Amino acid sequence: MNWVQLRSGLAAVALAALAACGGGKGQIEPFVPTRLVSFGDEHSLLTADGKRYGVNGLKSGTTTGEIDCTANPMWVQTLTSHFGLVLAQCNPENKPVTAFLRGSVGAKVADVKAQIDQQLASGSVGPKDLLVINVGFYDVLEAYQQFPTRSEGELTGLVQQRGRELAAQVNRLANANGRVVVLTVFDAGLTPAGLNEKATKTDTDRAALLTRLTNAFNVAMRLALIEDGRLIGLVLADETITTAVRFPSAFGYTDVKQAACTVDLPNCTTATVRSEVGTNVWLWADGLHLGAAGQNLIGNAALTRATNNPF
């Protein structure tokens, strides 16, 4: 089953159109980082034994379900592969480790601040460091879970503050002379869990509420970023995934609404997806996490930003 097969043509054009500007006119010299450090939640994480929080690929010919950590790569692996950097969690050839995952399961913006605190306490960052950040999804969910006890207006203010706090951490790394790629949060209202909230709660369109909270977070974060493409590159993960949901056939997706996995993450593999998946491409691994093809979309968008910004 080829989980990362995407149609060329329209899909490539759509990705190019979705790449965030980031400032500048492009790179005079190609940016070649010597180290990558990733901050965020489990959307950017591998376990110690190389499992991702999505659909894991299996080693060819395995009869014991042995994971191939290079198959169905998580989006950060698209960057490490391109730049020849090595993660400890996926290092079958035992090469020197040059890429580091500082994220944690369920991390919110405050947790990323702590991750960055720890990173800077252990040493400086510099112009050959690619620092990638993907967080905010759980800040949006935390706010949403307080509805209707708290009004939408209150919750909008809360996520906007979290967005500004994330921008402050991005700016902090940029001011420390690192080169930062930050992702917007993909729309929680488009996830299978978000759609289920809409179907099971009738007080308001819950998926639309999740969408509005996601947008409020992203806009606040973007407006507070330093506008200097030499230091910060912005990846519009929200628009990338939204476009795939709106035009699934253009991206080769068979399903963009249901969860493919039948077991909890990170233990889902190509052997434990729903039988109807077959050789088809589904966007979602479970109610909240992207499958391999969605991770591939985000990874390609991030790579475009990392290689095109004037770092």
Side-chain angles (χ1 to χ4, degrees):
M1 177 172 55
N2 185 357
W3 276 84
V4 296
Q5 180 182 5
L6 300 175
R7 294 182 184 177
S8 56
L10 181 56
V13 172
L15 266 181
L18 290 171
C21 174
K25 297 182 179 179
Q27 296 179 336
I28 297 174
E29 296 182 4
F31 175 57
V32 183
T34 56
R35 180 173 67 162
L36 179 147
V37 185
S38 172
F39 307 97
D41 58 33
E42 74 274 11
H43 292 95
S44 310
L45 193 62
L46 298 177
T47 64
D49 56 353
K51 294 178 182 177
R52 72 211 73 256
Y53 289 82
V55 181
N56 291 282
L58 298 176
K59 288 188 176 181
S60 178
T62 183
T63 59
T64 59
E66 190 175 0
I67 298 295
D68 180 355
C69 66
T70 65
N72 291 355
M74 181 261 293
W75 74 273
V76 176
Q77 290 179 279
T78 301
L79 298 171
T80 58
S81 177
H82 177 83
F83 291 117
L85 302 173
V86 179
L87 291 161
Q89 297 86 346
C90 188
N91 189 8
E93 298 179 8
N94 200 29
K95 294 180 178 180
V97 174
T98 51
F100 305 89
L101 304 177
R102 305 300 192 206
S104 59
V105 175
K108 298 188 281 290
V109 171
D111 301 302
V112 163
K113 179 184 182 301
Q115 294 168 17
I116 294 171
D117 287 344
Q118 184 176 12
Q119 179 65 39
L120 294 179
S122 66
S124 62
V125 297
K128 290 298 184 180
D129 287 327
L130 177 57
L131 310 172
V132 300
I133 303 177
N134 181 15
V135 75
F137 188 74
Y138 287 105
D139 294 89
V140 171
L141 293 185
E142 181 183 57
Y144 167 77
Q145 288 162 0
Q146 299 176 57
F147 183 85
T149 302
R150 298 179 67 179
S151 70
E152 180 177 346
E154 288 182 286
L155 299 177
T156 298
L158 173 60
V159 295
Q160 287 173 330
Q161 180 59 33
R162 298 286 180 89
R164 289 189 288 268
E165 290 170 1
L166 173 57
Q169 295 308 308
V170 175
N171 295 342
R172 177 187 180 195
L173 289 173
N175 286 328
N177 204 27
R179 302 298 182 261
V180 188
V181 168
V182 58
L183 275 60
T184 55
V185 176
F186 62 75
D187 185 353
L190 297 179
T191 63
L195 296 177
N196 184 63
E197 287 293 288
K198 177 179 180 177
T200 57
K201 294 182 173 66
T202 58
D203 52 353
T204 189
D205 185 333
R206 292 298 191 101
L209 173 58
L210 279 164
T211 295
R212 292 193 294 273
L213 292 175
T214 305
N215 289 341
F217 178 95
N218 286 333
V219 170
M221 185 269 288
R222 293 176 63 178
L223 289 175
L225 291 175
I226 295 171
E227 293 187 27
D228 189 341
R230 297 169 299 174
L231 300 174
I232 298 172
L234 178 66
V235 178
L236 300 182
D238 56 338
E239 293 188 14
T240 300
I241 298 303
T242 296
T243 300
V245 170
R246 290 177 177 172
F247 307 103
S249 62
F251 291 83
Y253 291 119
T254 306
D255 190 283
V256 294
K257 294 182 178 181
Q258 302 180 84
C261 293
T262 61
V263 300
D264 292 339
L265 308 187
N267 295 317
C268 181
T269 72
T270 52
T272 61
V273 296
R274 293 164 57 170
S275 59
E276 59 266 42
V277 175
T279 58
N280 298 315
V281 181
W282 286 31
L283 179 61
W284 301 104
D286 71 356
L288 297 174
H289 298 83
L290 293 166
Q295 286 274 352
N296 189 57
L297 278 179
I298 298 299
N300 286 336
L303 181 59
T304 296
R305 184 53 42 229
T307 53
N308 286 349
N309 260 55
F311 288 153

